[in-house]
């Protein structure tokens, strides 16, 4: 998606997760690469051991990294005195490009959800926030964490027949559901990511979020969930008449799935699932930024995948489509060391593609957004 810019500010000098070559944040690329690898595991080698790690969490890590990159690129362009209109044009162009790629992937009709349309919507919605104060961004992230779940559940009902609006605010794969992670990324992108204190704060806060979320999921939410469902049944009734699919809107929509408010299962996008998933993302991000400069070579294979994340993201759906058409069973979840095989193949594919000047889709995206701005395209 948006990769971290070639940042030339003092904001990211010397330290853990320091820059590669002309200035990439290798740790951020590595975190994004880990998110992509997690998606490949989820689609090609999901099993009981890795499901609790990758399911749902990789999506939030991916989106969080996108918000960080978006924030860094906005700051860099501002430091260069680039006109705000140029930045807006570029982000709108990228949103259109990513949206088109997303809908092409949806046309493959694979059994997996595609987040690119929602991700593209976040590019547009973030334009209203990216230049606000850090305090405003932080307050917005917290507000979205609390308010986005009921709103996206309601949107999943009343917007279910309007595909574009559903991508924005309808259900757990919509932009609204992913917005807390993206806005949190906008905040993190303003921090000094080269400082050990920043990395420790991210890892520590992530650990607290995960532990809190898990305790709630194990000891509090099951009983609360049963009570809430019983209350819903008493209020809404046990039997509901199915909506008439041929009736006029809103008489044709399904009732909101309010019980999801207390869910912790992957991709439910409740406040509790988001707390666990974002906590995991914070923890991963903090750990990769803690890797000392002397051994950042260990991050290179993962960073290679992260540098071509859009191409690698799309590639998995293309592979599933081709294998499904060929009648080939592609799940290695029950194969011994199947998940390790998928990780190795993903790293190898990312490394090969990253040897190009840019990934194929990344190159097309930069050329496309360059058509809408007189400025030289920013590597991001």
């Amino acid at each position: 998606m948006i990769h971290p810019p070639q940042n030339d500010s003092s904001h990211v000098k010397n330290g853990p997760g320091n820059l590669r070559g002309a200035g990439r944040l290798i740790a951020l690329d590595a975190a994004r690469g880990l998110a992509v690898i997690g998606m490949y595991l989820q689609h090609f080698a999901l099993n009981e051991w890795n499901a609790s790690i990758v399911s749902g969490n990789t999506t939030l890590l991916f989106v969080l990294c996108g918000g960080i990159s978006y924030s860094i690129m906005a700051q860099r362009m501002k430091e260069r005195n680039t006109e705000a209109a140029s930045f807006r044009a570029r982000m709108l162009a990228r949103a259109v490009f990513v949206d088109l790629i997303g809908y092409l992937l949806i046309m493959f009709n694979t059994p997996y959800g595609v987040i690119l349309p929602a991700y593209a919507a976040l590019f547009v919605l973030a334009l209203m926030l990216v230049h606000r104060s850090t305090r405003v961004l932080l307050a917005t992230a917290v507000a979205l964490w609390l308010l986005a779940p009921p709103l996206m559940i309601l949107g999943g009902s009343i917007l279910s027949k309007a595909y574009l609006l559903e991508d924005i605010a309808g259900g757990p794969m919509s932009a609204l559901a992913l917005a807390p992670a993206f806005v949190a990324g906008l905040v993190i992108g303003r921090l000094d990511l080269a400082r050990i204190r920043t990395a420790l704060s991210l890892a520590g806060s992530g650990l607290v979020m995960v532990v809190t979320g898990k305790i709630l999921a194990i000891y509090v939410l099951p009983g609360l969930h049963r009570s809430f469902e019983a209350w819903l049944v008493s209020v809404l009734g046990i039997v509901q008449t199915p909506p008439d699919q041929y009736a006029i809107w809103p008489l044709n929509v399904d009732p909101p799935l309010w019980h999801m408010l207390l869910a912790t299962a992957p991709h439910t996008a409740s406040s509790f699932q988001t707390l666990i998933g974002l906590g995991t993302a914070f923890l991963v991000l903090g750990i990769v930024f803690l890797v000392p400069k002397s051994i950042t070579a260990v991050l290179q294979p993962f960073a290679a995948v992260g540098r071509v994340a859009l191409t690698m993201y799309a590639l998995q759906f293309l592979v599933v489509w081709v294998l499904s058409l060929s009648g080939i069973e592609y799940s290695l979840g029950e194969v011994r060391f199947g998940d390790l095989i998928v990780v190795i193949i993903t790293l190898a594919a990312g490394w090969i593609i990253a040897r190009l000047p840019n990934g194929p889709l990344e190159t097309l995206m930069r050329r496309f957004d360059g058509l809408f701005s007189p400025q030289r395209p920013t590597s991001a």
Side-chain angles (χ1 to χ4, degrees), residues 287-367:
I287 290 173
V288 294
F289 272 101
L290 281 171
V291 174
K293 180 181 178 181
S294 58
I295 60 170
T296 49
V298 301
L299 297 178
Q300 285 286 4
F302 306 98
V305 177
R307 286 195 291 274
V308 291
L310 180 56
T311 297
M312 289 295 295
Y313 181 89
L315 182 61
Q316 63 186 320
F317 293 94
L318 179 61
V319 170
V320 169
W321 179 66
V322 170
L323 293 178
S324 297
L325 280 181
S326 304
I328 300 174
E329 173 58 43
Y330 56 83
S331 176
L332 301 179
E334 301 303 320
V335 177
R336 189 176 185 183
F337 302 121
D339 43 8
L340 180 60
I341 293 171
V342 169
V343 170
I344 293 173
I345 292 175
T346 306
L347 287 171
W351 185 267
I352 292 170
I353 296 173
R355 294 306 90 197
L356 302 171
N358 284 300
L361 290 182
E362 286 76 11
T363 297
L364 287 174
M365 181 174 68
R366 286 167 186 157
R367 289 179 178 176

Side-chain angles (χ1 to χ4, degrees), residues 76-87 90 373 375 378:
R76 181 169 179 259
M77 295 184 74
K78 185 177 180 180
E79 290 166 0
R80 290 185 168 186
N81 296 318
T82 304
E83 291 183 3
S86 177
F87 177 76
R90 184 159 296 153
S373 173
Q375 302 289 335
T378 302

Side-chain angles (χ1 to χ4, degrees), residues 47 82 98 215 238 292 312 373:
N47 55 42
T82 304
V98 170
I215 290 175
I238 298 178
M312 289 295 295
S373 173

